[in-house]
Amino acid sequence: MKVRTDILRLAKELHTWVGITAGILLFICFFAGGLSMFQHDLSKWATPPQQSLSAIQSNQYNALVAQVQQQYPEAHKSFRINLNSKEFHYAPMQWKAVDEHGQDDHDFDTNQNTMLATLKSNGELHVEQENLSKLGWLIEQLHETAGIPGTIGHHTIGVYVMGVVSVLYFLALMTGLIVLLPTLVKDYFAIRKGKNKKRFWLDAHNVVGITSLPFHILISVTVIIFAFHDLFYDAIGQLVSKGKPMFERPPAVRVADPAPELDVEKILARIQQQAQGYEVASISFNNLDQPAKASARASLYSPDQMLRGDHFDVMSFNPYQDQPYSTNNLNTHSSAMDKVIKSMFSLHFGNYGGDITRWLYVVLGIGGAFLFYSGNILWIESRIKRQKNPNLPAPQQRKDVRLIANLTVGTCLGCVLAIFSSMFIGRWAYVFYPELLSINALFMYSYYIIFLLCIVYVFIVGAAKALPKILLIIAIVLFLLPITSIFALCIPNIGLWASSSSLWWIDIFAIIFALAFLRFFQQAQMRMRHAEAGSIWSDQQI
């Protein structure tokens, strides 16, 4: 396909500079996003044994709730029950020790102390107060915000920043497609090795970009919608609803006076009757001390449906009402417009089709991270001054090229090392500090400290020397994760814990990733030794 030369030149310039501007933040979001497909499994993997209480039978929930409310008055207002929830896997019942803002565990709260409850085999109540491990939630926050802290309104600053970045991201996708159109057929699957590293990085960048183009378009558009949906709703409200609220509150439900006693098992039966094909994962109850304002939020899962949340659909109702529960939020009962909106969430989260889709999104997420990393490397390779005459002094590289090289290696590999190091540190924390009160604070501070130290280190020693060393450290940390599990099995009394049988795959994949990064280390070490003097990738720079 022929494209006018001036259009091709403009598209290439836009693709280059937009990609460089957004690439590093997108790398963090995509790498963390790939891991976040199994964020709840990672949280469970990082959960100490004392934070995971035994399950109970479905006919024991009323007895559990009654005993908890008898001994803990704060549970009369709000609590959550867990049946088979990946997110709230810790115990059959949980609530906050001090509940000021309602039952909401969707926060990375370093000081949060949650009450967990179950029943022993003899029917006695067992309660623990814990600061719940939320490693997966930290990874999810990195995916949403690229690690940019702070909030504006009910959104983090990072969400708005990534909304703007996604506009640039979409522009980079379109301009990249225009640039590649003239040679698309010839160069699509061509990855040419050799001395010309620029050609290798260009070929690899093009293959990954074109293969996953529909996925990237989907992600960029949905992120823009997620970040600025309030503005979109306000604009539509002004045009269509003339300033009136687009979403009216449903009419208040009738509740008998006095309100009936809360019957959790009856509520479960009613949900299963009305939401056939869905599995009840958890139910959160709020404002139970005010029956007319009480609410329940049931999280439901079905692998055959488009879901609104990352792993659930929602049914909301008053737990004291006699009327049938509203099923309008479920995909099986949604309107055409609701199905479109729900599909935007579902396609972004990859929550349809079960674990096969999730693994596909892991591959696409990590592939996306490579796309942005390779784009920066390609920009660097295109601007490296090479030594054409060995009799002349080695060339001095431009400052902007050195800056981008250091920033790319420091932030991208720093993010990878910081995430895996946080996983490792969290497993050993209770060995060296059994009285640790906030494992979430440890996860958060260890991530940011290691991430920033990597960036500082790369700027001090240069990208060439830092690259192989950081790759080697990443490989070592990854190898230490399964070794930790082996230690836990061999020496169970030192405070370590082994992965459960359903989560051994995390240790196995840690070994696979470790071998990959070990190979990357060997390649980086070899390149540093054989690079021309004065090159960005040589340890002999001017």
Side-chain angles (χ1 to χ4, degrees):
M1 179 178 178
K2 292 184 178 180
V3 180
R4 279 170 41 190
T5 305
D6 57 332
I7 295 177
L8 199 63
R9 186 183 303 112
L10 177 61
K12 188 173 182 179
E13 288 293 322
L14 282 173
H15 181 77
T16 298
W17 292 110
V18 169
I20 288 294
T21 303
I24 291 174
L25 291 177
L26 287 169
F27 176 95
I28 297 173
C29 290
F30 267 78
F31 183 79
L35 298 180
S36 72
M37 297 309 301
F38 292 96
Q39 61 163 307
H40 304 313
D41 297 283
L42 289 171
S43 287
K44 192 171 184 178
W45 177 86
T47 297
Q50 66 269 23
Q51 293 186 7
S52 184
L53 306 189
S54 59
I56 61 175
Q57 299 297 319
S58 59
N59 60 355
Q60 293 181 292
Y61 279 94
N62 279 344
L64 174 61
V65 171
Q67 290 193 49
V68 167
Q69 290 184 333
Q70 183 179 6
Q71 298 185 32
Y72 299 89
E74 63 269 23
H76 282 280
K77 182 177 180 180
S78 63
F79 62 87
R80 173 178 285 106
I81 63 168
N82 164 47
L83 288 93
N84 188 26
S85 171
K86 281 183 169 290
E87 184 172 9
F88 305 110
H89 58 266
Y90 308 94
M93 182 175 176
Q94 64 186 71
W95 69 98
K96 290 186 179 180
V98 178
D99 193 337
E100 297 178 353
H101 305 289
Q103 183 76 15
D104 183 8
D105 285 343
H106 292 84
D107 293 316
F108 193 75
D109 186 353
T110 57
N111 298 312
Q112 175 222 67
N113 282 303
T114 301
M115 305 297 294
L116 306 176
T118 188
L119 294 176
K120 299 179 182 178
S121 57
N122 60 2
E124 291 183 3
L125 183 64
H126 176 205
V127 177
E128 298 283 348
Q129 182 173 356
E130 294 292 339
N131 184 275
L132 299 180
S133 172
K134 292 189 175 181
L135 170 67
W137 187 244
L138 169 63
I139 294 173
E140 172 61 21
Q141 289 300 293
L142 293 175
H143 165 56
E144 292 182 7
T145 69
I148 300 171
T151 59
I152 299 177
H154 61 277
H155 274 315
T156 58
I157 295 174
V159 168
Y160 290 115
V161 171
M162 292 314 302
V164 175
V165 168
S166 292
V167 175
L168 302 178
Y169 168 30
F170 182 81
L171 180 59
L173 292 173
M174 295 300 100
T175 52
L177 180 61
I178 293 172
V179 170
L180 195 58
L181 279 177
T183 58
L184 179 60
V185 176
K186 182 179 69 173
D187 293 342
Y188 183 15
F189 286 111
I191 299 182
R192 288 155 283 196
K193 296 182 180 181
K195 294 183 179 180
N196 189 346
K197 294 297 182 182
K198 176 186 174 182
R199 170 53 61 184
F200 167 78
W201 284 108
L202 178 60
D203 290 341
H205 183 81
N206 290 342
V207 168
V208 173
I210 292 298
T211 303
S212 56
L213 181 62
F215 171 77
H216 286 283
I217 293 175
L218 168 71
I219 296 299
S220 63
V221 172
T222 52
V223 170
I224 295 169
I225 294 172
F226 293 163
F228 304 117
H229 65 274
D230 288 341
L231 297 177
F232 294 148
Y233 286 153
D234 291 342
I236 294 173
Q238 291 293 332
L239 292 173
V240 178
S241 305
K242 305 302 181 182
K244 296 180 180 179
M246 289 184 61
F247 305 102
E248 299 287 347
R249 285 182 175 273
V253 297
R254 296 188 305 274
V255 176
D257 188 16
E261 184 178 352
L262 185 69
D263 190 331
V264 174
E265 294 168 19
K266 182 180 178 181
I267 291 172
L268 286 173
R270 291 183 64 180
I271 294 173
Q272 291 167 345
Q273 181 181 12
Q274 290 189 238
Q276 296 183 11
Y278 285 89
E279 176 185 349
V280 183
S282 65
I283 308 177
S284 60
F285 297 91
N286 286 299
N287 299 317
L288 295 176
D289 54 340
Q290 305 175 62
K293 298 181 179 180
S295 64
R297 185 176 185 269
S299 296
L300 311 177
Y301 176 71
S302 172
D304 302 322
Q305 300 295 335
M306 291 286 192
L307 308 175
R308 183 67 177 264
D310 67 329
H311 211 281
F312 57 86
D313 233 335
V314 175
M315 177 186 286
S316 299
F317 52 89
N318 187 311
Y320 297 111
Q321 72 183 67
D322 291 327
Q323 304 97 312
Y325 301 150
S326 173
T327 56
N328 292 339
N329 286 334
L330 301 182
N331 193 56
T332 51
H333 296 76
S334 297
S335 65
M337 181 56 68
D338 288 338
K339 287 182 183 293
V340 171
I341 295 173
K342 195 181 294 289
S343 67
M344 299 296 285
F345 284 88
S346 191
L347 289 169
H348 184 92
F349 293 137
N351 58 25
Y352 56 93
D355 286 343
I356 293 177
T357 303
R358 289 184 178 274
W359 279 113
L360 176 61
Y361 271 53
V362 170
V363 174
L364 290 170
I366 295 176
F370 171 80
L371 182 68
F372 306 119
Y373 182 81
S374 62
N376 280 28
I377 297 297
L378 184 58
W379 184 90
I380 295 166
E381 291 289 340
S382 300
R383 286 154 181 80
I384 288 179
K385 294 181 180 179
R386 306 193 183 278
Q387 189 172 16
K388 297 180 180 180
N389 188 341
N391 297 321
L392 296 177
Q396 186 172 3
Q397 302 299 331
R398 287 164 35 183
K399 290 182 179 180
D400 60 333
V401 178
R402 293 202 302 268
L403 172 66
I404 295 298
N406 292 340
L407 202 57
T408 299
V409 172
T411 54
C412 295
L413 296 186
C415 169
V416 175
L417 177 59
I419 289 176
F420 292 142
S421 297
S422 297
M423 295 171 63
F424 174 70
I425 292 170
R427 290 294 289 270
W428 282 89
Y430 287 99
V431 176
F432 297 101
Y433 189 35
E435 292 80 22
L436 180 67
L437 297 177
S438 178
I439 193 171
N440 292 330
L442 186 67
F443 285 142
M444 184 175 67
Y445 289 122
S446 61
Y447 171 83
Y448 280 106
I449 289 172
I450 294 170
F451 176 73
L452 294 174
L453 284 177
C454 278
I455 296 175
V456 172
Y457 174 69
V458 174
F459 273 90
I460 291 175
V461 305
K465 293 182 179 179
L467 178 60
K469 290 182 174 61
I470 296 177
L471 289 171
L472 179 60
I473 295 172
I474 292 173
I476 292 172
V477 171
L478 285 166
F479 275 124
L480 289 175
L481 293 178
I483 291 174
T484 298
S485 295
I486 296 173
F487 262 100
L489 292 173
C490 299
I491 316 174
N493 297 323
I494 63 173
L496 288 175
W497 64 93
S499 304
S500 63
S501 58
S502 62
L503 297 175
W504 267 102
W505 61 267
I506 295 178
D507 296 286
I508 293 172
F509 272 89
I511 296 174
I512 295 173
F513 273 92
L515 293 174
F517 276 98
L518 191 60
R519 178 57 180 161
F520 298 155
F521 156 73
Q522 293 172 341
Q523 292 175 332
Q525 188 83 348
M526 186 180 302
R527 185 176 186 189
M528 181 184 69
R529 291 174 178 173
H530 294 91
E532 299 172 346
S535 169
I536 286 289
W537 309 115
S538 171
D539 57 353
Q540 301 177 7
Q541 293 188 33
I542 304 300

